[in-house]
Amino acid sequence: MDEMYLDQQSDKASLANLVIIKRIMKYLKGHVKKFCFALFLCFVMAICSCLEVFINIEIVNELQQETIDIAKTYLLGVGYAISLILQVVCSFFSSFIIQMFANDIIYDLRNDVYKHILYLSINQLQSKPVGKWVTRATNDVNTIMTFFSDVLSSMIVNCLYIVFYFVSIFILEWHLALLVTAFMIVIFVLSVVFSSISKKRNRLYRISISQMNSFLSENLSLMDTIQIFNQEERKYEEFSKISKTLKERDLSSLRVFCLFRPMIYFVYIITILSSFVLGFYLMQNDLMVYTMGLTGISALFGFYQFIGYLFNPIQNIANQFNTIQQALTGAERVLLVMDIVSEIQNEEDAVSLNNLKGKVEFRHVYFKYNDKQDWILKDISFVINPGETVAFVGETGAGKSTIINLIVRNYDIQKGEILIDDIPIKKIKLESLRKLIGEMLQDVFIFSGNIIDNISLEDKPNIEKVKQACQFVGADEFIEKLPNKYYQEVKESGNNFSSGQRQLISFARVVYSRPKMIILDEATSNIDTYTESIIQNSLEKIKSIGTMVMIAHRLSTIKKASRIYVIDKGIIAEQGSHASLIRKKGIYYNLYKVQSLKDHFE
């Protein structure tokens, strides 16, 4: 799993084409009847196409007779017309049916990909830029859609045509059939070689698309920073380089296709010429084996038609060669995402909690984000009792946020043990643990929609409950002044609200979920003094809900905490109440003194 995960991080992982096709075809399970009916229609088309050639051969054979049977000739003409009509009708319905279930398949696949991504760990999600995940779930899935909707029906029909035409030429004359078979082997070898080259180049092309999406996703979201620091020209140059690489890789992929197609046509011309040469030789030396009462000219004419008919589906496949390779490459990248196993898993005997007392215990916990790092937390032990308000303080990078992430199990520890209500955290089902814990992060994210949707995060929100949550945290004061109040539109990332307003909406979201434990990660940072005072008043009320764990940027917000832990370089350096830590005149005292001076000057 680790090797595969590292490979995926560097975009080097790959799957064999047969494995890709086999796994994608599993999505056909719910559409077997439709697929079989479409296959039957394609089968009828192939038979009618072969019948069409045999009718032509019989007409030519009949016209060579001394006495022409007019009735038979007309009858053959009617048969030819019926064959053509059947092919048109079957082609329409088979394509329509395949298009229908192709849309259903892609719908299921896209949902599966997104659902799988939702349950990956934070560490895994952060291993790739957001743009790459977006590319997997959209662009790469869309290439598979092209395969199912445009290529699949054509591939099935063309493959059936090839099989039936091969059987037909052996029925006509086996010497000439063996010659054609030899050229078919040449085409097969060429296809394998070009397929391997094309897949590698298409993979590079898809990687370039991911890189471009990642670049755009990052830079568009940080456009204000780019403009403030006058970086437009530099970012344009960076984008131009990525765009140039994408263009070159696209052209490289197209060159393979442009070379493959004329080579197939060249083999087709050589096959016809060779067949005529061999056919005339066999006729002159009476070596041609006649079947169905045909003459040599009729057999040779039929053979010429079958070679044309045989190479037509091959040429069609060649024309779709690039599309097929793009679809296989896209499918490969989607399947590799589906193969990533989430690092955070429920154990088999994990229990679901219906209630939470709020006790948290760390026993000699060691943690680091990856094997290349030093320990972020070293031998951390503490107990938070139910109903307590506990705060963690320390310099940036000391490990405060890491402790909070471990409590909600965004990551798993390497050593030690974490217990929630005296139950090992790995024995508690993730969904029940996170449902009972409300977490308010420093970086608030607001979804597009309206205020009610953002607070409830439900399809059918309880409006009164939303209003109560807003009143509880003091958000109702600014919401009631908005034109549409609780139905006010929220733009992307909540850009039409101030940082303080977004923080209050996020606070109301936590209260709405009615958690048994609340975690606040620097909830009062980056906001104005007035909003901070509102949140401070709310914190006093929230203490009644249950256990509260806080990370404080402003130490004035945690004076009334039951216990304060000072984290320094991954260890608990000090602990105690605000007053006792001030008396010690240690790390906490120095932090408080510096911040008091800062607040004084502000």
Side-chain angles (χ1 to χ4, degrees), residues 4-21:
M4 173 65 75
Y5 183 55
L6 290 172
D7 279 346
Q8 287 173 31
Q9 283 186 304
S10 55
D11 289 303
K12 293 179 181 177
S14 60
L15 296 171
N17 285 345
L18 286 176
V19 174
I20 295 170
I21 293 169

Side-chain angles (χ1 to χ4, degrees), residues 378-472:
K378 293 170 281 189
D379 198 23
I380 294 288
S381 295
F382 61 81
V383 177
I384 302 173
N385 293 311
E388 276 192 320
T389 298
V390 173
F392 292 90
V393 300
E395 297 287 351
T396 302
K400 309 183 297 296
S401 293
T402 300
I403 291 173
I404 282 179
N405 280 320
L406 294 177
I407 292 175
V408 293
R409 207 183 162 203
N410 284 335
Y411 303 91
D412 278 337
I413 60 176
Q414 285 83 15
K415 293 182 185 179
E417 192 173 24
I418 298 175
L419 298 95
I420 305 293
D421 284 357
D422 297 319
I423 303 171
I425 196 167
K426 291 185 178 180
K427 299 289 183 182
I428 302 172
K429 289 185 178 179
L430 274 174
E431 54 271 22
S432 71
L433 176 70
R434 292 171 180 172
K435 185 178 181 180
L436 294 168
I437 298 177
E439 187 175 5
M440 183 175 173
L441 302 176
Q442 178 184 0
D443 298 322
V444 176
F445 188 84
I446 305 295
F447 298 93
S448 300
N450 58 44
I451 292 176
I452 289 176
D453 293 336
N454 267 283
I455 292 173
S456 69
L457 299 180
E458 295 175 344
D459 293 330
K460 296 179 180 180
N462 185 321
I463 309 300
E464 288 304 315
K465 191 177 168 185
V466 169
K467 290 181 178 180
Q468 288 170 11
C470 290
Q471 289 167 2
F472 193 86

